[in-house]
Amino acid sequence: MIYTTCALDCYDGCSIVYDNDKISGDKLHPVTQGALCANVNKNIFKEPRITTPMINGKAISMDEALEYIASVVDDKTLLWRGSGNVAVMQEVTNLLMGKIDGTITKGSLCDGAGEAGIIEGRGVNLTLPLEQIAKSEVVVIWGRDVTVTNRHILPFIKDKKIIVIDPIKTKIAKSAHLHIQLAPRSDLYLAVLLARFIFMEELHDKKWLDKFASDYEEYYDFVRTFRIKALLALIDTNLDTIGDMLSLIEGKKVVFLVGAGVQKYSIGNEVLRAIDAVAVLLGLFGKEGCGVSYLGDSKLGFKNPFVTEIKKVSKVDTPFDEFDSVIIQGGNPCESMPNTNEVINRLENVKNVIYFGLYENETSRRANVVIPAKNFFEKNDVRLSYGHSYVSKINKIKECDFGISEYDFVREIFKIKSFGGLESEEYYLNYWLDQCDKMGNIFISKAYRELPYENGFGKDEDEEFVFLDDHDDDFIERKKLKRPRGYKNILDKENSFWLVNSKSNDSLNTQFEKSNRVILHPDLGFCDDEEVMVSSEFGEIRLRIKNSVDIRIDCVKITANTIGINKLTPSIISNEGHNACYGEVKVSLSKVLI
Ligand SMILES: Nc1nc2c(c(=O)[nH]1)N[C@H]1C(S)=C(S)[C@@H](COP(=O)(O)OP(=O)(O)OC[C@H]3O[C@@H](n4cnc5c(=O)[nH]c(N)nc54)[C@H](O)[C@@H]3O)O[C@H]1N2
Ligand SMILES: Nc1nc2c(c(=O)[nH]1)N[C@H]1C(S)=C(S)[C@@H](COP(=O)(O)OP(=O)(O)OC[C@H]3O[C@@H](n4cnc5c(=O)[nH]c(N)nc54)[C@H](O)[C@@H]3O)O[C@H]1N2
Ligand SMILES: [Mo]
């Protein structure tokens, strides 16, 4: 029997037991509790792997491939790393970039805008322990699709009063006590409105605020600069609903589970800061059963042996064409990055596109050098988590006679180029583990706090919460729709829909099952399975219709595993946190003329 851990990019980071050639969820792990999702149980084994290194479509040996890569990488090389595997050893390739004076990326396709907002307000992004979530009375699920992306949290929120804030009637919204089906990109306004009514109804915790967030009167002035009627219209809600929400949370132990969905916008940082402010006003930080949970900073508190001084370019709007060689590791930018038409154009001007991954995809097809990787069952590693504070070892459970691990890749290229200074794999693995605390036989992150922000905000817990005091938004100005040409618009009304991004059960971003669906409201008059052209100012894709009453009529939902989705999305960068803004786009629909 061997214990290991799932390295897929997910809140849950499950602990796995390997026995008799079978895997199962670790029953004793506090988060996994014996259950694994379809992605690890099934999909990962079904997906055909890349087994041979290739140069220009010709199969070659691994040694030849590594010799070739060693001969082309230099100071005009970019490493673009995705999050196909989120374990710590992925970053060992930074050491190679350091040696060759190469370039890596900065910014995030994922949670960076929200994290920037949290840091502005709280000073540091601490993870709210699941044990505190379990002690709450009311759970506000705000832009997180827990039954899809974070299902191991479900036992911790069972039997609680649930409020869901999401433009989609998600599975959990259907059984919630209250679902606010707000317009996309209006979360900031909802949080501002909630704050206003908290003040008006004197629900704020003055005693606590005087100590931990004493600028609250100024925040009251700030939230009063917004007109209530205008806010209600933007959010598409009414005063009764706001009242219902406040009466559910008043005087209760409340946790907010905020997901990536609220911050895929240029103002994503402000959204998190305004949501935090709602919790702050109610005095919900640093107390049992209370707090705001977001995607945590899993490396917080650790010394990272892979941080070296390296040049950086944007991960969101990457100037690939400024490099001679681009190494793409653990990612699929030709599908996952925004504005993929532009990504593909730029990559076409790169001499050497080196794809280092597990599966064939739109990116591997455009690479002239392909290196098969090993998956997380085939190498040792250490897994931190953005959903909880447990740290687990990834232990190799099987040998694989093809592919190469990231550590071996770096070691071989160091050898060929006679670079020194690389420590053993063991050394790096222990470097991470040795920094952890231990609870019984479970490793736990250095940044773990039983009650985060109990003594205050900031790195040293001696600062106050910093409220948002400015709001500047030019989205309405930028949102100029171009109508698609060559297709007849069939809608009489304004043909402009929010693109709602979310994930799917049977995929992990672009890995595993693919979709070709656009989900929209039946009142738009399309038939199921009908083909439609979805267009934005950046590109267009053909998809098949799936009607659903769970979606607002002004939205279309396309999941992250849909082929071509990012032809529609903009490569703009969030105001703070250098994040992608997948939601900041309106699309139009046209019937496909046969
Ligand atoms: N429209 C839209 N786009 C999105 C999102 C969205 O919500 N909507 N979500 C965004 C988010 S949150 C994220 S995190 C990004 C993710 O985007 P990416 O980081 O590009 O991740 P994936 O698309 O999952 O591609 C992962 C690839 O990693 C490879 N891989 C897996 N394991 C390993 C390994 O151990 N070693 C190596 N070398 N390779 C490996 C696999 O071949 C796989 O193809 O996508 C973003 N894109
Ligand atoms: N099965 C599975 N699990 C995954 C992943 C996967 O691909 N598949 N991906 C992993 C990754 S990389 C990440 S980052 C996490 C992300 O997981 P989550 O934090 O759950 O984030 P998303 O799935 O991006 O979006 C969550 C919800 O936000 C809603 N939403 C969209 N726009 C808005 C808005 O403007 N306001 C509000 N209030 N809600 C909005 C969507 O309808 C959706 O229900 O999940 C991880 N877990
Ligand atoms: Mo993500």
Side-chain angles (χ1 to χ4, degrees):
M1 197 158 83
I2 307 175
Y3 284 86
T4 190
T5 312
C6 176
L8 294 177
D9 184 353
C10 168
Y11 290 93
D12 299 351
C14 286
S15 176
I16 299 172
V17 183
Y18 175 74
D19 196 14
N20 242 335
D21 214 26
K22 280 209 182 82
I23 61 159
S24 59
D26 180 355
K27 292 196 179 77
L28 298 178
H29 191 275
V31 185
T32 311
Q33 300 189 14
L36 294 179
C37 73
N39 287 324
V40 229
N41 251 336
K42 173 178 75 158
N43 298 342
I44 198 167
F45 300 103
K46 279 200 328 206
E47 197 67 20
R49 295 272 294 274
I50 298 175
T51 54
T52 356
M54 311 269 267
I55 295 188
N56 299 324
K58 200 170 140 260
I60 47 159
S61 70
M62 185 61 85
D63 287 346
E64 286 171 307
L66 294 169
E67 284 283 348
Y68 179 79
I69 293 170
S71 73
V72 297
V73 290
D74 58 16
D75 60 352
K76 297 279 280 173
T77 298
L78 169 71
L79 168 66
W80 191 100
R81 183 171 38 236
S83 58
N85 174 327
V86 293
V88 298
M89 288 303 280
Q90 286 295 308
E91 283 190 1
V92 69
T93 44
N94 285 356
L95 300 181
L96 175 61
M97 290 296 117
K99 284 280 179 197
I100 60 173
D101 193 22
T103 303
I104 60 170
T105 60
K106 61 174 178 210
S108 161
L109 300 183
C110 182
D111 60 344
E115 168 150 298
I118 286 179
I119 291 170
E120 286 163 347
R122 304 185 212 161
V124 61
N125 179 13
L126 296 176
T127 299
L128 182 66
L130 290 162
E131 295 72 27
Q132 297 305 335
I133 296 171
K135 288 181 194 156
S136 67
E137 295 164 301
V138 182
V139 180
V140 182
I141 302 175
W142 200 325
R144 196 192 288 189
D145 199 359
V146 285
T147 60
V148 175
T149 61
N150 183 201
R151 80 192 65 181
H152 289 83
I153 207 171
L154 296 174
F156 295 86
I157 61 173
K158 214 172 132 238
D159 301 327
K160 301 193 184 295
K161 282 229 156 36
I162 303 280
I163 301 172
V164 174
I165 303 174
D166 199 302
I168 309 285
K169 196 167 247 331
T170 54
K171 190 168 172 204
I172 196 137
K174 289 181 185 167
S175 57
H177 291 82
L178 177 68
H179 175 208
I180 304 186
Q181 195 165 6
L182 79 182
R185 206 183 184 276
S186 67
D187 303 85
L188 170 66
Y189 309 121
L190 177 59
V192 161
L193 201 57
L194 287 166
R196 175 120 178 216
F197 281 91
I198 288 170
F199 282 119
M200 279 160 64
E201 296 183 18
E202 302 251 350
L203 301 177
H204 54 305
D205 185 344
K206 288 191 200 107
K207 217 169 123 209
W208 185 87
L209 286 167
D210 282 334
K211 189 157 173 217
F212 295 107
S214 60
D215 285 341
Y216 62 94
E217 296 287 358
E218 279 89 338
Y219 191 56
Y220 192 19
D221 292 338
F222 171 71
V223 299
R224 271 187 302 198
T225 61
F226 296 82
R227 282 178 46 239
I228 292 179
K229 232 176 126 185
L231 292 181
L232 289 171
L234 279 167
I235 304 162
D236 191 16
T237 190
N238 52 47
L239 287 178
D240 286 349
T241 309
I242 302 291
D244 290 348
M245 171 148 176
L246 287 178
S247 62
L248 279 169
I249 62 179
E250 183 184 346
K252 293 287 188 319
K253 289 184 184 170
V254 186
V255 297
F256 295 76
L257 307 181
V258 186
V262 301
Q263 53 91 63
K264 294 185 171 184
Y265 304 102
S266 51
I267 53 167
N269 64 312
E270 294 180 29
V271 175
L272 257 295
R273 220 164 142 193
I275 293 174
D276 271 359
V278 172
V280 164
L281 291 177
L282 296 169
L284 295 172
F285 276 98
K287 296 181 187 160
E288 258 200 4
C290 301
V292 179
S293 152
Y294 179 62
L295 294 87
D297 173 358
S298 61
K299 293 200 170 95
L300 187 74
F302 284 93
K303 273 194 280 168
N304 184 340
F306 306 131
V307 169
T308 51
E309 276 294 308
I310 317 179
K311 293 172 280 183
K312 295 190 177 84
V313 294
S314 171
K315 187 170 185 187
V316 181
D317 188 18
T318 314
F320 290 109
D321 47 1
E322 289 173 12
F323 296 89
D324 289 345
S325 300
V326 173
I327 302 175
I328 293 162
Q329 173 200 333
N332 181 12
C334 294
E335 292 184 81
S336 65
M337 274 180 78
N339 198 356
T340 42
N341 282 330
E342 183 63 18
V343 170
I344 290 165
N345 281 341
R346 287 179 180 171
L347 276 173
E348 266 162 15
N349 290 315
V350 177
K351 235 191 281 165
N352 290 297
V353 176
I354 301 160
Y355 172 86
F356 181 21
L358 298 176
Y359 315 120
E360 275 193 31
N361 53 35
E362 289 304 312
T363 310
S364 71
R365 278 191 269 285
R366 286 177 173 80
N368 54 315
V369 182
V370 174
I371 301 281
K374 291 209 184 289
N375 75 18
F376 66 82
F377 290 126
E378 300 155 357
K379 57 195 174 197
N380 295 323
D381 215 322
V382 172
R383 172 68 153 91
L384 315 172
S385 166
Y386 55 81
H388 54 74
S389 300
Y390 302 101
V391 174
S392 311
K393 279 173 144 175
I394 295 180
N395 293 311
K396 191 202 279 187
I397 60 167
K398 56 180 181 189
E399 293 297 335
C400 173
D401 53 14
F402 58 84
I404 187 165
S405 72
E406 287 65 25
Y407 177 80
D408 288 345
F409 175 83
V410 170
R411 192 193 54 197
E412 291 307 310
I413 296 193
F414 266 53
K415 243 194 248 164
I416 299 168
K417 294 188 87 81
S418 307
F419 292 151
L422 187 73
E423 304 286 348
S424 70
E425 188 175 23
E426 229 20 61
Y427 169 90
Y428 293 119
L429 295 173
N430 288 332
Y431 193 98
W432 289 94
L433 288 175
D434 290 347
Q435 296 181 68
C436 295
D437 294 325
K438 269 194 126 181
M439 259 189 199
N441 55 359
I442 291 188
F443 292 99
I444 198 137
S445 156
K446 267 256 162 302
Y448 170 78
R449 298 279 177 284
E450 191 181 342
L451 282 177
Y453 312 104
E454 189 183 7
N455 303 313
F457 296 94
K459 280 211 173 72
D460 300 321
E461 299 181 48
D462 58 357
E463 291 169 30
E464 294 193 17
F465 181 79
V466 183
F467 288 101
L468 187 65
D469 57 5
D470 189 24
H471 172 60
D472 186 15
D473 189 4
D474 66 347
F475 177 62
I476 310 291
E477 264 303 295
R478 275 190 280 121
K479 185 202 81 184
K480 285 193 186 105
L481 255 192
K482 268 196 212 141
R483 301 277 164 185
R485 271 168 299 181
Y487 299 95
K488 190 167 151 269
N489 283 334
I490 55 147
L491 300 154
D492 334 324
K493 284 188 286 177
E494 194 196 352
N495 188 358
S496 165
F497 300 86
W498 288 105
L499 172 60
V500 178
N501 289 277
S502 44
K503 313 287 187 191
S504 86
N505 272 322
D506 268 314
S507 67
L508 212 295
N509 297 318
T510 74
Q511 300 188 72
F512 317 129
E513 301 266 297
K514 297 285 155 97
S515 161
N516 62 351
R517 297 279 161 178
V518 52
I519 302 164
L520 43 76
H521 197 280
D523 285 357
L524 292 172
F526 290 96
C527 301
D528 274 335
D529 292 328
E530 186 182 342
E531 267 207 322
V532 71
M533 188 65 83
V534 187
S535 316
S536 77
E537 60 191 288
F538 309 101
E540 54 186 25
I541 50 169
R542 267 183 197 221
L543 296 172
R544 284 192 186 276
I545 302 277
K546 184 175 170 207
N547 280 297
S548 168
V549 291
D550 299 333
I551 183 162
R552 289 170 56 95
I553 197 156
D554 57 353
C555 296
V556 299
K557 168 172 154 172
I558 309 181
T559 48
N561 63 330
T562 306
I563 300 154
I565 178 176
N566 283 316
K567 293 191 168 147
L568 304 172
T569 53
S571 53
I572 49 172
I573 292 162
S574 60
N575 299 344
E576 297 297 332
H578 206 105
N579 205 52
C581 302
Y582 294 103
E584 195 137 307
V585 64
K586 291 272 196 135
V587 298
S588 58
L589 302 169
S590 329
K591 224 178 173 74
V592 176
L593 297 181
I594 306 157

